[in-house]
Amino acid sequence: MPLPPALLTTLHSTFPADALAAGEAERIAYSYDNSRRHALPDAVVFPTEHAQVEALVRACREHGVPVIARGRGTNTTGATVPVAGGVVVSFERMNRIVRIDPDNRLAVVEPGVLNADLQKALAPHGFFWPPDPSSAPWCSVGGNLACNSAGPRAVKYGTPRENTLGLRAVAGSGEGFRCGTYTSKGATGYDLTRLLIGSEGTLALITEATLKLTPKPSAVRTLRATYRDVGSAARAVARIMAQPVTPCALEFIDDVALKLAHAHGGDSVPLAGAMLMIEVDGEPATLDSAVDAVAAAARGDGLEELRVAQSADETRALWAARKALSPAQRTISPNKINEDVVVPVSHLPALVDGIKRFAAKHDVLIVTFGHAGNGNLHVNLLPRDDAERKRAHACLAEVFALVIELEGTLSGEHGIGLAKREFMPLAVPATTLELMRNVKAAFDPDGILNPGKLLP
């Protein structure tokens, strides 16, 4: 449906000609994300400043036109697909690092800054921003905030919610506002910063973020442990997380994933019932004792081999299995279903056992790996044809039901978007969902921000 002429006039007066696209090719380019879902927007705009976003949202609200915030489209849940048409707001040109303030351990950035570019800019100052999703070279900080995307380091350093001090944003009313502080402590009113993070662009459009920085550790040590079966590895995760030294990464890879990675990556990838990749960071003087503590916890019934890398080359070799996994999966199924459920760490053995059971029951290949230290596993169903796709969706419903039974939830870092929206009532009580809808109405009274996402 074409945009109202009056709205188009406002957009032309707000955005330069090269910052407003309504041609079919540009609309197609911004119609999809990494979920492989797609729907055409009516137009795409490329703001470069906060005031343009305010003017856009006010104009779209006046005409009842949806507004969909977009980073780089790396999310896997359809969260940036414009299912109701409207205007996609691509923040790729709002990509300035406004300032880096080492004395106060913060950085102020625009939402289009790529995660990897931010890390490169911080490195000479001796700092980093902990969130490190696998798409870090291509994903934007704004997208990380929208989905609360974390990555392996979250086990020690937390998610974007724990590493963001404040935000500047535009609500669905068209009003700009700031929330949060420039300090690491604050007890002044409601915490709107944490509320906006993970809201998938349904409450406000983030135009600036004040990020909490962490000093880079001096040294990192990598360990690889293989186990007889997935249950032994899952129990080892619980032991590792129950002792005082917190690893900076604790990754789980099941036997199916190892077989795939071995076939793709060769003999550098071990074959075992399951494997843990563990990293410990800190200062050189204390690192040996920290590694010893983690290694002691990793040992136990079912351990087959424990290796500690002694050099950078050996570290790269130990990570070979994890690196080979994604391309190996693509050779099996270009239409893989990628979920990221999360349960309390003590329930990991039951979750892993249940996934094995469902895979056999539905005759679907499932590869399980992920950030085990947080209880956050990526459950990848690999259907190869229409019949397997149908069985995979039935299997997925049972996986979600088990996750809720084990006191877990539907997503650890991918978000809900379109993909898991129908399952939200499983995870969130009706009274809580109604409170969420009331919050949505307060920020976005006419429901124009990213309609059709997150809330059922």
Side-chain angles (χ1 to χ4, degrees):
M1 175 186 242
L3 295 177
L7 175 56
L8 271 174
T9 299
T10 302
L11 295 183
H12 281 296
S13 66
T14 304
F15 296 93
D18 68 345
L20 169 61
E24 185 178 12
E26 294 92 341
R27 290 162 58 217
I28 290 173
Y30 291 85
S31 68
Y32 62 93
D33 58 23
N34 201 31
S35 70
R36 300 182 300 278
R37 295 166 172 83
H38 61 88
L40 278 178
D42 299 307
V44 185
V45 296
F46 304 89
T48 56
E49 58 184 34
H50 175 91
Q52 289 176 323
V53 181
E54 284 190 350
L56 167 74
V57 176
R58 282 196 301 268
C60 287
R61 183 188 182 195
E62 181 181 345
H63 295 280
V65 171
V67 179
I68 302 90
R70 179 185 172 94
R72 290 303 179 97
T74 59
N75 80 88
T76 61
T77 67
T80 58
V81 176
V83 291
V87 179
V88 165
V89 187
S90 175
F91 283 100
E92 63 195 83
R93 298 184 190 177
M94 289 186 71
N95 60 357
R96 294 184 310 139
I97 297 174
V98 179
R99 68 183 170 110
I100 296 173
D101 184 348
D103 289 347
N104 292 305
R105 292 175 53 156
L106 64 85
V108 179
V109 305
E110 292 180 333
V113 173
L114 297 186
N115 185 299
D117 289 346
L118 173 63
Q119 308 298 358
K120 288 175 188 173
L122 295 175
H125 300 276
F127 287 89
F128 70 105
W129 190 52
D132 62 331
S134 59
S135 56
W138 314 284
C139 67
S140 67
V141 170
N144 298 163
L145 297 173
C147 294
N148 198 34
S149 304
R153 287 196 296 236
V155 66
K156 180 173 183 177
Y157 294 106
T159 70
R161 280 199 175 107
E162 289 75 53
N163 290 282
T164 305
L165 298 172
L167 299 170
R168 190 182 189 191
V170 179
S173 62
E175 296 174 292
F177 65 96
R178 289 185 181 272
C179 55
T181 65
Y182 290 101
T183 60
S184 59
K185 291 179 73 175
T188 311
Y190 299 127
D191 191 347
L192 300 185
T193 301
R194 291 173 68 94
L195 177 62
L196 292 186
I197 296 172
S199 64
E200 301 182 21
T202 62
L203 300 181
L205 278 66
I206 295 168
T207 60
E208 185 182 275
T210 301
L211 307 176
K212 176 184 173 184
L213 305 182
T214 298
K216 284 183 72 70
S218 299
V220 178
R221 196 76 60 78
T222 301
L223 301 84
R224 187 177 78 185
T226 54
Y227 294 86
R228 179 183 61 231
D229 51 48
V230 292
S232 299
R235 287 187 288 274
V237 171
R239 291 197 303 271
I240 292 168
M241 294 307 296
Q243 52 83 45
V245 177
T246 302
C248 62
L250 177 49
E251 300 287 289
F252 169 92
I253 304 175
D254 77 355
D255 56 328
V256 180
L258 287 173
K259 287 174 186 172
L260 282 179
H262 183 86
H264 190 274
D267 292 339
S268 61
V269 179
L271 292 174
M275 186 174 81
L276 297 181
M277 291 298 306
I278 312 161
E279 285 198 332
V280 181
D281 64 5
E283 298 309 301
T286 60
L287 201 54
D288 284 344
S289 61
V291 169
D292 289 345
V294 170
R299 294 188 179 93
D301 182 51
L303 177 72
E304 292 184 340
E305 182 188 37
L306 177 64
R307 293 179 60 185
V308 181
Q310 301 298 328
S311 67
D313 286 343
E314 194 173 354
T315 295
R316 282 191 289 272
L318 293 187
W319 276 106
R322 186 67 176 85
K323 299 287 186 186
L325 195 48
S326 289
Q329 288 180 90
R330 284 196 291 271
T331 65
I332 299 292
S333 173
N335 297 310
K336 73 172 182 174
I337 301 170
N338 179 12
E339 296 298 344
D340 76 313
V341 296
V342 55
V343 297
V345 170
S346 64
H347 293 329
L348 274 176
L351 174 61
V352 171
D353 288 344
I355 290 169
K356 291 282 185 191
R357 190 168 65 250
F358 298 144
K361 174 182 174 181
H362 294 276
D363 191 21
V364 174
L365 183 65
I366 301 180
V367 170
T368 305
F369 61 94
H371 317 312
N374 295 112
N376 180 200
L377 292 188
H378 293 261
V379 181
N380 293 266
L381 296 85
L382 304 178
R384 290 159 289 192
D385 53 38
D386 288 341
E388 288 192 359
R389 272 192 287 275
K390 188 173 181 181
R391 297 200 303 271
H393 283 288
C395 178
L396 188 59
E398 292 197 48
V399 170
F400 286 153
L402 175 62
V403 165
I404 301 306
E405 181 185 324
L406 294 174
E407 301 179 314
T409 195
L410 300 176
S411 177
E413 59 186 6
H414 290 177
I416 301 300
L418 289 171
K420 288 183 269 202
R421 186 178 173 228
E422 66 180 286
F423 296 102
M424 279 286 278
L426 273 178
V428 182
T431 50
T432 307
L433 281 173
E434 188 57 30
L435 286 170
M436 289 184 180
R437 291 190 183 98
N438 291 339
V439 169
K440 163 77 169 168
F443 276 87
D444 182 22
D446 297 312
I448 65 168
L449 296 188
N450 209 10
K453 312 295 172 54
L454 203 154
L455 294 178

